Amino acid sequence: MASRGGAKGKIACLLYLGDCHGALALLDAFRNTGGSKVDACLMEAKARVQLGDKSSAMAAFRQALAEDQTCVDACYGLLNTDARSVDGADAAFLENTWHSLGALRDKVLAGFALAHWHEVRANFNEQLHWLDLTNEARRALRPFDRGTLNGWHDLTRRFCTFEWYSRLVLPDALPESVEPILICGMPRSGTTLIEQTLAACESVT
């Protein structure tokens, strides 16, 4: 019988590769070897999210919270999977515990989840407040390194050529006049806003 660590590692790999059905099939083995109920619920929820089964994912996240009411990953999953259906209790838990979280990773996850929760409720001042706090935590988690970012940008520019782009779509669907637009920028610098603005332009497809 597979060990708990071995089963968990295999499930994580399958989720990373997008084999959600394979990951779900291994969950029973993980549970039968005494694997953490919280971990099992979180892995099931992540698989369900990837499969587009929001209701089952939300149920799994809530089961994880039932097992551990302080589970940041479960609250994060709830708020990001279907923020509109989450009441204020889960958001309040994250808000009340955010400053006491020791790991920067947890602060980043929880902060972005809270920003999203407030966004869907049009609480934009609160959204910006949590984005500011979370961006500060993220900068501490991943300090700025000009050399690394320049390297990634150069690699992206060399890789994302017209030939590469043309392989992603049907040949007949890509007129010769089409030119891909590559957007590069510093993290949290507004690249998503630029992409959405360009996408709203009638001359950009």
Side-chain angles (χ1 to χ4, degrees), residues 58 78-87 113 116-117 120-121:
M58 294 290 280
L78 283 173
L79 269 64
N80 273 286
T81 302
D82 189 5
R84 295 184 186 281
S85 69
V86 177
D87 60 29
H116 179 60
W117 188 83
V120 300
R121 284 163 176 74

Side-chain angles (χ1 to χ4, degrees), residues 65 69 75-76 78-79 86-101 110 113-115 117-118 121 126 130:
L65 270 181
Q69 295 182 351
C75 281
Y76 164 79
L78 283 173
L79 269 64
V86 177
D87 60 29
D90 294 314
F93 163 74
L94 278 184
E95 289 183 342
N96 292 332
T97 60
W98 191 87
H99 291 284
S100 63
L101 292 174
L114 285 166
W117 188 83
H118 284 293
R121 284 163 176 74
E126 283 297 308
W130 284 106

Side-chain angles (χ1 to χ4, degrees), residues 87-183:
D87 60 29
D90 294 314
F93 163 74
L94 278 184
E95 289 183 342
N96 292 332
T97 60
W98 191 87
H99 291 284
S100 63
L101 292 174
L104 287 172
R105 168 198 171 271
D106 288 344
K107 285 194 170 186
V108 171
L109 289 178
F112 281 133
L114 285 166
H116 179 60
W117 188 83
H118 284 293
E119 178 186 12
V120 300
R121 284 163 176 74
N123 300 330
F124 299 122
N125 287 335
E126 283 297 308
Q127 178 200 10
L128 292 174
H129 167 71
W130 284 106
L131 285 176
D132 285 340
L133 289 176
T134 306
N135 282 327
E136 183 178 347
R138 187 165 184 173
R139 283 191 290 270
L141 180 64
R142 296 180 181 176
F144 170 68
D145 183 341
R146 183 182 296 277
T148 299
L149 287 172
N150 284 343
W152 275 111
H153 287 171
D154 290 342
L155 181 63
T156 302
R157 290 175 63 186
R158 290 197 301 268
F159 182 78
C160 299
T161 62
F162 180 81
E163 289 72 23
W164 166 81
Y165 180 74
S166 64
R167 291 196 298 269
L168 300 181
V169 297
L170 296 174
D172 294 339
L174 187 65
E176 293 184 0
S177 60
V178 168
E179 295 184 6
I181 299 173
L182 181 62
I183 301 172

